[in-house]
């Protein structure tokens, strides 16, 4: 079932120097419980697509259609965790509830369950500086999940982590998204990350970005993202995506 459709989306940026075409005729569907990764050359407009989906930007032409009436349809997870250092972990994860004036026992119970389920409940009264980088990213994800969105937008959420932590957090995030039955769109410059986590990869051209290719993957049977990196198909897929980006 399709949750979201982008139909012939184009975007022009305007500046004193003139008009710049950033995106051109971007069209794809996002299905329920699907994990999509978007890759492309640096500066091609990957994050711009997330900004359009979230409503931060409006397209110059085309339309974005949602097939769900959920109030908090979109959850956005950024490159850095953006945790407030003066607030406890609990105070950080309920921030969205505070802003939307939805602090109630039902929502608190949901967040408590998430913290317990993913090994963070005992740290709820700690401050962010007392947690490792990987734990901070899990907290950031749970904060994003607190309002129970249907689709998660992940904007290079692991880029600030060292390589070993990054591998572990990829597994953590993938497990949480799968367990909570969420749909996700990941923007990344890391080909291995995209292949190991996604059901489909959307490859963009240089700016003005168009969709060059969409690759469907069948690696879920191998388990976690880390385990998928070791399967026999992985290197072939890596080379395919690499060549499409290079060409």
């Amino acid at each position: 079932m399709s949750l979201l459709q982008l139909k012939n989306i184009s975007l022009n940026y305007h500046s004193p120097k003139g008009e710049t075409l950033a995106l051109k005729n971007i069209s794809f569907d996002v299905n329920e419980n699907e994990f999509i990764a978007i890759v492309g050359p640096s500066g091609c407009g990957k994050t711009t697509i997330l900004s359009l989906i979230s409503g931060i930007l409006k397209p110059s032409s085309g339309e974005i259609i949602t097939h769900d009436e959920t109030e908090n349809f979109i959850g956005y997870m950024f490159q850095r965790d953006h945790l407030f250092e003066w607030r406890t972990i609990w105070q950080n994860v309920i921030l969205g509830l505070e802003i939307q004036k939805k602090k109630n026992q039902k929502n608190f119970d949901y967040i408590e369950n998430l913290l317990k389920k993913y090994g963070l409940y005992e740290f709820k009264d700690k401050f962010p500086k007392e947690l490792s980088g990987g734990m901070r990213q899990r907290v950031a994800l749970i904060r994003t999940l607190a309002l129970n969105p249907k689709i998660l937008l992940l904007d290079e959420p692991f880029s600030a982590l060292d390589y070993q932590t990054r591998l572990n957090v990829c597994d953590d995030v993938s497990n949480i998204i799968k367990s909570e039955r969420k749909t996700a769109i990941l923007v990344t410059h890391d080909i291995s990350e995209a292949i190991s986590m996604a059901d489909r990869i959307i490859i963009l051209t240089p700016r003005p970005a168009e969709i060059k290719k969409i690759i469907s993957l069948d690696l879920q049977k191998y388990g976690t993202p880390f385990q998928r990196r070791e399967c026999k198909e992985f290197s072939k897929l890596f080379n395919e995506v690499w060549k499409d980006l290079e060409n």
Side-chain angles (χ1 to χ4, degrees):
M1 174 184 170
S2 176
L3 280 182
L4 178 74
Q5 289 179 294
L6 278 71
K7 289 189 171 183
N8 300 315
I9 295 296
S10 295
L11 179 71
N12 294 309
Y13 282 121
H14 299 274
S15 72
K17 295 182 179 180
E19 186 176 80
T20 302
L21 181 60
L23 301 175
K24 183 179 178 183
N25 296 328
I26 301 292
S27 296
F28 62 88
D29 291 2
V30 181
N31 299 316
E32 191 168 10
N33 301 135
E34 186 176 32
F35 197 122
I36 286 178
I38 301 175
V39 300
S42 180
C44 73
K46 299 185 292 295
T47 296
T48 301
I49 292 175
L50 297 190
S51 296
L52 288 164
I53 292 171
S54 66
I56 295 172
L57 295 175
K58 299 296 182 185
S60 302
S61 62
E63 58 181 335
I64 298 174
I65 303 169
T66 57
H67 299 283
D68 191 283
E69 299 301 321
T70 303
E71 183 181 359
N72 296 295
F73 184 68
I74 299 291
Y76 207 128
M77 187 173 172
F78 298 94
Q79 290 183 18
R80 297 188 178 274
D81 57 59
H82 294 296
L83 300 179
F84 292 120
E85 299 295 340
W86 61 89
R87 293 175 69 106
T88 65
I89 300 309
W90 176 258
Q91 290 169 339
N92 268 285
V93 296
I94 67 167
L95 183 60
L97 300 180
E98 288 182 9
I99 293 170
Q100 295 198 13
K101 295 181 169 47
K102 292 183 177 180
K103 289 167 54 176
N104 57 57
Q105 195 57 50
K106 179 181 178 181
N107 288 332
F108 287 166
D109 289 345
Y110 175 65
I111 293 172
E112 276 196 7
N113 181 58
L114 288 174
L115 291 172
K116 289 175 181 176
K117 197 171 178 181
Y118 302 113
L120 290 166
Y121 187 75
E122 64 185 287
F123 302 98
K124 69 184 180 71
D125 296 320
K126 303 286 187 182
F127 289 91
K129 67 180 180 181
E130 300 176 80
L131 272 59
S132 68
M135 292 173 73
R136 289 175 65 117
Q137 284 302 95
R138 270 189 281 157
V139 171
L141 178 57
I142 290 172
R143 180 184 58 194
T144 306
L145 290 170
L147 290 167
N148 205 14
K150 292 290 286 188
I151 292 183
L152 299 176
L153 306 181
L154 311 175
D155 188 3
E156 300 198 49
F158 318 120
S159 61
L161 303 173
D162 65 80
Y163 185 70
Q164 185 175 1
T165 303
R166 188 170 181 152
L167 291 177
N168 291 329
V169 174
C170 279
D171 277 9
D172 289 342
V173 169
S174 177
N175 175 51
I176 292 170
I177 289 173
K178 186 175 181 180
S179 296
E180 300 305 315
R181 299 184 60 79
K182 296 299 178 184
T183 305
I185 304 174
L186 169 72
V187 158
T188 180
H189 64 273
D190 188 321
I191 298 172
S192 296
E193 194 170 271
I195 296 170
S196 68
M197 298 187 76
D199 301 308
R200 283 191 294 154
I201 297 176
I202 296 173
I203 302 173
L204 301 179
T205 67
R207 182 177 288 186
E210 299 181 78
I211 293 178
K212 183 172 187 177
K213 183 187 286 187
I214 298 179
I215 299 175
S216 295
L217 307 175
D218 184 24
L219 303 182
Q220 296 288 343
K221 58 190 174 186
Y222 293 108
T224 67
F226 186 82
Q227 290 168 330
R228 290 173 212 158
R229 289 170 183 258
E230 299 179 330
C231 74
K232 60 184 180 181
E233 295 100 322
F234 191 87
S235 61
K236 181 181 177 182
L237 287 165
F238 185 98
N239 288 332
E240 181 180 352
V241 176
W242 175 267
K243 287 177 181 177
D244 282 321
L245 289 173
E246 285 293 290
N247 294 329

